[in-house]
């Protein structure tokens, strides 16, 4: 028992020590930013990210430092990462829009047919975990209703039996949405171009183009794995629908 308590104490003390170090580093980076020493601030912010520290404030402050340092691609990436944690934060949204306005040649997004947009909006309402949790809760609620009616519990006798079946049906739908989200995550991921004037090769036209940092791309995972001729190049789809290859170091995964 004493050994377990000792190990638990060591773990807690170690965690508090790491947290304290991260907090000190974060405050030091913020002070460097306030002193307009953006390069040094960025170095500390990036070190924290590489150490696995994640928070919306870290990404937001790092985005501000990159923005002030005219590294628009990294600024857009940081603001997008902050919005993944807090999607409705007004400051994050406004700064992302400011950064995007600094992209001299933004790539216009191809407009999908209305029902394609409608379908994407549905399965994107929640994450994989969100759909899974929704399916579980609805299934349990439906099971409780059937259980209560089977044993004539007073609180459930007024609930129509079909309500349980509706919940089971919606639960199955949620599982289907979860599967689609999972399939999409295994097929491709989104990334931001962080390298200025990144070279993009369009095989259809057999031409090279320069892409501005800050633009987003979709990386096809399976297609990239099949492309073994040059491991430094990955296959991507641009927002306007063009497909081609770009250097792996030119993008940063969201």
């Amino acid at each position: 028992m004493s050994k377990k308590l000792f190990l638990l104490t060591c773990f807690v003390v170690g965690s508090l020590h790491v947290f304290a170090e991260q907090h000190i580093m974060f405050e030091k980076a913020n002070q460097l930013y306030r002193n307009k020493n953006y390069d040094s601030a960025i170095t500390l912010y990036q070190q924290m990210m590489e150490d696995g520290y994640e928070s919306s404030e870290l990404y937001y402050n790092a985005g501000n430092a990159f923005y002030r340092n005219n590294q628009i691609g990294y600024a857009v990436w940081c603001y997008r990462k902050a919005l993944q944690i807090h999607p409705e934060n007004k400051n994050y949204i406004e700064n992302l829009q400011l950064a995007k306005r600094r992209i001299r040649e933004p790539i216009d997004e191809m407009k999908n047919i209305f029902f394609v947009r409608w379908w994407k909006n549905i399965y994107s309402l929640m994450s994989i975990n969100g759909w899974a949790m929704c399916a579980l809760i609805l299934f349990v609620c439906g099971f409780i209703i059937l259980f209560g009616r089977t044993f004539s519990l007073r609180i459930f006798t007024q609930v129509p039996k079909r309500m349980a079946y509706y919940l089971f049906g919606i639960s199955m739908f949620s599982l289907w949405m979860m599967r689609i989200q999972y399939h999409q995550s295994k097929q491709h991921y989104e990334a931001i171009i962080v390298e200025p004037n990144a070279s993009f090769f369009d095989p259809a036209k057999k031409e090279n183009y320069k892409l501005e940092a800050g633009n987003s791309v979709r990386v096809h995972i399976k297609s990239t794995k099949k492309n073994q001729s040059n491991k430094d190049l990955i296959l991507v789809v641009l927002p306007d629908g063009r497909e081609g290859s770009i250097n792996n170091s030119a993008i940063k995964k969201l």
Side-chain angles (χ1 to χ4, degrees):
M1 188 68 180
S2 59
K3 184 178 180 181
K4 291 182 178 179
L5 181 60
F6 173 75
L7 292 175
L8 179 61
T9 303
C10 290
F11 175 77
V12 172
V13 171
S15 299
L16 291 174
H17 177 69
V18 171
F19 177 79
E21 282 188 341
Q22 290 174 340
H23 180 73
I24 293 170
M25 187 182 295
F26 186 55
E27 288 304 316
K28 184 178 179 181
N30 292 341
Q31 186 60 49
L32 288 168
Y33 172 80
R34 287 190 287 268
N35 293 337
K36 298 183 179 182
N37 194 343
Y38 303 126
D39 285 325
S40 297
I42 286 169
T43 299
L44 289 182
Y45 288 135
Q46 286 183 316
Q47 184 179 336
M48 293 181 70
M49 294 178 196
E50 290 171 2
D51 290 341
Y53 181 72
E54 279 194 311
S55 78
S56 58
E57 289 186 358
L58 169 61
Y59 289 125
Y60 177 66
N61 289 9
N64 291 339
F66 279 119
Y67 181 84
R68 295 290 185 183
N69 211 37
N70 294 316
Q71 294 175 264
I72 302 305
Y74 283 101
V76 170
W77 182 85
C78 286
Y79 293 140
R80 289 284 302 274
K81 291 292 288 185
L83 283 166
Q84 286 180 348
I85 300 173
H86 291 297
E88 297 182 3
N89 187 291
K90 291 182 179 179
N91 290 332
Y92 302 170
I93 295 171
E94 289 174 359
N95 281 30
L96 175 61
Q97 295 305 320
L98 284 174
K100 284 185 173 181
R101 292 193 193 108
R102 294 277 299 277
I103 303 173
R104 289 171 295 181
E105 295 182 8
I107 303 172
D108 295 327
E109 187 174 354
M110 182 176 61
K111 298 296 183 181
N112 290 317
I113 303 174
F114 76 94
F115 59 82
V116 175
R117 295 199 303 270
W118 176 76
W119 175 244
K120 285 184 177 179
N121 288 336
I122 289 178
Y123 69 71
S124 298
L125 282 173
M126 288 186 283
S127 63
I128 296 172
N129 291 336
W131 283 116
M133 185 60 67
C134 181
L136 177 62
I137 292 172
L138 291 171
F139 181 84
V140 170
C141 289
F143 178 80
I144 290 173
I145 291 173
L146 286 182
F147 180 85
R149 287 182 58 85
T150 301
F151 291 93
S152 301
L153 298 178
R154 183 182 302 176
I155 193 173
F156 295 107
T157 53
Q158 302 300 320
V159 181
K161 190 175 182 179
R162 63 177 177 274
M163 179 61 70
Y165 297 129
Y166 289 153
L167 292 174
F168 288 146
I170 301 173
S171 176
M172 293 300 104
F173 176 78
S174 298
L175 284 175
W176 187 36
M177 292 294 102
M178 180 196 74
R179 185 179 182 278
I180 291 172
Q181 277 281 53
Y182 178 78
H183 178 74
Q184 291 293 326
S185 68
K186 290 297 181 182
Q187 290 293 318
H188 61 79
Y189 62 82
E190 191 174 4
I192 301 296
I193 299 174
V194 294
E195 183 181 283
N197 297 317
S199 180
F200 172 79
F201 178 70
D202 187 343
K205 296 183 179 180
K206 296 183 179 179
E207 292 182 4
N208 280 299
Y209 299 92
K210 295 296 182 182
L211 302 180
E212 284 290 321
N215 283 301
S216 63
V217 297
R218 267 191 313 127
V219 180
H220 278 295
I221 299 173
K222 289 186 177 180
S223 298
T224 298
K225 287 180 178 178
K226 292 178 181 178
N227 182 29
Q228 298 296 329
S229 57
N230 191 336
K231 293 183 180 181
D232 292 331
L233 295 177
I234 55 175
L235 302 178
V236 299
V237 180
L238 303 185
D240 58 11
R242 286 180 292 168
E243 296 187 18
S245 57
I246 193 171
N247 198 292
N248 190 30
S249 62
I251 66 170
K252 193 169 179 64
K253 180 181 178 180
L254 283 169

